[in-house]
Amino acid sequence: AQSVTQLGSHVSVSEGALVLLRCNYSSSVPPYLFWYVQYPNQGLQLLLKYTTGATLVKGINGFEAEFKKSETSFHLTKPSAHMSDAAEYFCAVSDAAGNKLTFGGGTRVLVKP
Amino acid sequence: KAGVTQTPRYLIKTRGQQVTLSCSPISGHRSVSWYQQTPGQGLQFLFEYFSETQRNKGNFPGRFSGRQFSNSRSEMNVSTLELGDSALYLCASSLGLAGDGETQYFGPGTRLLVL
């Protein structure tokens, strides 16, 4: 069965510092991997996705993620945090076996001025 | 293109009542999925509909049901509400199935409070 683990339910970064959010997945078949962001009282917005091909995926708002099959990871990074990045971030996986989108527990990002 | 819309946005019910939530997908999308989001359990998959057929179902009791209409609009129903059903219910639409790696686009959610 597919599953997702996000390390750290809360992350605090200074404005201008690197943002690194960790995601590890479990899937019995090739996975499709996603990062979503959720702002307060809103739905989820897609940041980026990996299906096949290039393992470094660039998304919106300066975020990128790298698919590492050997480590079963899909960590999200942004070189320089902005105050507007304060939100909750969800990693998710789907595959042909599970036939659904499974989310990690989420990581809430706080950006300090 | 208009995004995913959900109605109502907020709802207050009492235990034992039933509720119906509505979701209108992005035009051209044939798949609609529903999720329950709570602080304790996070985002949990309820079910996915494609071309009016339920394709997958999460681990929820039979009180939770759904359907999809020929225009791809979807409704979910919760009967005999319990306090623990208080949550944000999110609907997502996509061109195809989640198992095929299709991107799901989320609506703003319906916040349900059960008293």
Side-chain angles (χ1 to χ4, degrees):
Chain A
Q2 57 189 128
S3 65
V4 180
T5 302
Q6 291 183 239
L7 289 176
S9 59
H10 292 79
V11 166
S12 180
V13 298
S14 297
E15 193 174 18
L18 171 73
V19 179
L20 170 60
L21 305 183
R22 300 179 186 275
C23 171
N24 289 89
Y25 69 91
S26 170
S27 175
S28 58
V29 296
Y32 305 109
L33 295 160
F34 305 81
W35 275 100
Y36 283 89
V37 61
Q38 186 177 34
Y39 298 100
N41 299 314
Q42 293 187 26
L44 278 67
Q45 180 183 3
L46 179 73
L47 281 175
L48 48 81
K49 68 181 280 191
Y50 169 81
T51 51
T52 59
T55 56
L56 183 62
V57 181
K58 294 188 184 299
I60 63 171
N61 301 340
F63 285 94
E64 63 181 35
E66 186 170 11
F67 170 60
K68 291 187 176 181
K69 184 178 177 180
S70 61
E71 299 177 8
T72 60
S73 69
F74 191 57
H75 302 330
L76 181 72
T77 60
K78 181 174 180 177
S80 177
H82 191 270
M83 296 299 291
S84 61
D85 295 326
E88 189 158 20
Y89 293 79
F90 293 92
C91 181
V93 64
S94 67
D95 61 41
N99 239 359
K100 64 179 180 179
L101 193 60
T102 298
F103 286 89
T107 299
R108 191 172 297 277
V109 173
L110 171 67
V111 182
K112 299 177 292 184
Chain B
K1 257 184 191 179
V4 178
T5 58
Q6 293 186 244
T7 57
R9 291 292 310 279
Y10 303 92
L11 207 47
I12 300 175
K13 293 285 188 179
T14 56
R15 278 183 300 172
Q17 288 186 311
Q18 75 165 17
V19 66
T20 298
L21 311 182
S22 181
C23 173
S24 292
I26 292 171
S27 177
H29 285 192
R30 297 172 65 189
S31 175
V32 172
S33 297
W34 289 89
Y35 298 87
Q36 182 195 65
Q37 186 177 25
T38 60
Q41 299 298 318
L43 277 156
Q44 294 189 287
F45 170 74
L46 280 157
F47 23 67
E48 181 178 28
Y49 286 86
F50 183 84
S51 295
E52 302 179 65
T53 302
Q54 188 181 90
R55 295 305 182 101
N56 202 356
K57 189 179 191 313
N59 193 23
F60 278 82
R63 300 185 297 107
F64 291 81
S65 63
R67 59 178 176 168
Q68 187 180 34
F69 303 95
S70 58
N71 61 359
S72 293
R73 191 177 69 85
S74 178
E75 291 180 346
M76 68 163 281
N77 183 275
V78 188
S79 62
T80 320
L81 284 166
E82 300 178 359
L83 295 179
D85 297 334
S86 295
L88 181 66
Y89 289 89
L90 292 164
C91 164
S93 78
S94 55
L95 286 168
L97 294 168
D100 294 332
E102 292 288 343
T103 298
Q104 296 192 356
Y105 296 89
F106 284 78
T110 294
R111 188 165 294 282
L112 171 64
L113 176 62
V114 181
L115 301 176

